[in-house]
Amino acid sequence: TRMRTSPHSTVSAGYWYRNIWYQDPTTIDKTDNRVFITVVDELSSTLTTTTGAAYTGTEAGNDRLRKTDLFAGFAYAYAMESTSWFTIGNSWLAFWPSDERMSQVTWDAGIIQKSGKYTDSFNAKLTYVEDPFYIVRREDRYVATISRSTERTSLGISAGRYEYRNVASQHLEHTRHALTGTISHASTQTSKIIYDVSIGRINDYAP
């Protein structure tokens, strides 16, 4: 549900249910129930703030996770089609039946800059992601992208480093480095051809 509470403020609230099921018997099937609320305030034509909260309950076999998130941030459009943003928050996690509780600061920061036919972007983010072998997993990502667009064709290359950590111990379990190239061409007004190629490297670390 989305409501505009004033000419410059919007409130979004809702609930969603997710059932994750894998064919591999070694993985962990899960169900998620999530409620959230987000408030967006347009302070000016260039500056927008966002605040929000969410609660997620995850069932994974005999294990349960209760996660509460609070966050606040802003986005600043400093030029035409150029934006920077920064969001900081905190996640509180409670595991059952171990009765283990923990807290983690989270963030999402980045910049997108348009200069002529080129667009450059960079994003750094600490968040929690779905993983087939864990009830939840921490991901730290650092991704840079450069692209060039013409009227019908666009070229892009992206390079990123992704770190995956055990939530409880904070141990770095493995890293992934990825390099991706994309070419798209609009052959007509209603059809587009897209080619993607990527290479990557994964490093595993002993506990």
Side-chain angles (χ1 to χ4, degrees):
T1 302
R2 178 175 296 179
M3 300 180 296
R4 187 169 272 288
T5 55
S6 76
H8 303 288
S9 298
T10 303
V11 178
S12 301
Y15 161 84
W16 56 256
Y17 168 83
R18 182 173 67 167
N19 189 318
I20 304 171
W21 177 80
Y22 299 98
Q23 288 186 322
D24 188 342
T26 63
T27 56
I28 302 175
D29 300 333
K30 308 177 188 73
T31 58
D32 287 337
N33 290 274
R34 180 179 176 89
V35 292
F36 65 90
I37 183 169
T38 304
V39 180
V40 178
D41 291 305
E42 300 169 4
L43 302 183
S44 69
S45 60
T46 59
L47 182 61
T48 301
T49 64
T50 302
T51 56
Y55 175 83
T56 307
T58 300
E59 310 288 332
N62 295 324
D63 296 320
R64 299 175 186 173
L65 169 65
R66 300 294 181 259
K67 185 161 76 76
T68 303
D69 302 300
L70 294 177
F71 59 89
F74 70 88
Y76 176 60
Y78 59 90
M80 183 67 69
E81 298 184 66
S82 298
T83 303
S84 61
W85 71 92
F86 179 74
T87 299
I88 190 166
N90 201 86
S91 294
W92 291 268
L93 299 93
F95 295 88
W96 187 92
S98 65
D99 200 29
E100 187 173 15
R101 299 175 183 274
M102 60 193 64
S103 174
Q104 173 67 59
V105 175
T106 59
W107 65 81
D108 182 0
I111 185 171
I112 299 174
Q113 179 166 309
K114 176 83 170 180
S115 178
K117 296 180 180 180
Y118 290 89
T119 302
D120 305 317
S121 67
F122 178 77
N123 177 227
K125 186 175 184 179
L126 188 157
T127 188
Y128 293 97
V129 296
E130 163 61 23
D131 190 286
F133 300 98
Y134 299 83
I135 188 170
V136 69
R137 203 152 192 222
R138 172 181 154 181
E139 179 190 77
D140 299 65
R141 71 175 68 172
Y142 310 90
V143 182
T145 303
I146 183 171
S147 61
R148 183 182 187 277
S149 299
T150 61
E151 183 177 351
R152 301 177 65 179
T153 303
S154 64
L155 307 173
I157 186 168
S158 175
R161 173 183 170 90
Y162 303 80
E163 300 175 352
Y164 297 94
R165 299 177 184 272
N166 182 284
V167 173
S169 66
Q170 304 297 316
H171 171 68
L172 178 61
E173 295 182 325
H174 76 262
T175 59
R176 178 169 64 92
H177 295 84
L179 183 65
T180 302
T182 303
I183 302 174
S184 66
H185 178 73
S187 53
T188 67
Q189 291 184 344
T190 59
S191 63
K192 180 181 288 188
I193 301 173
I194 301 175
Y195 299 95
D196 282 319
V197 61
S198 62
I199 58 174
R201 176 180 176 179
I202 296 176
N203 294 328
D204 292 317
Y205 301 94

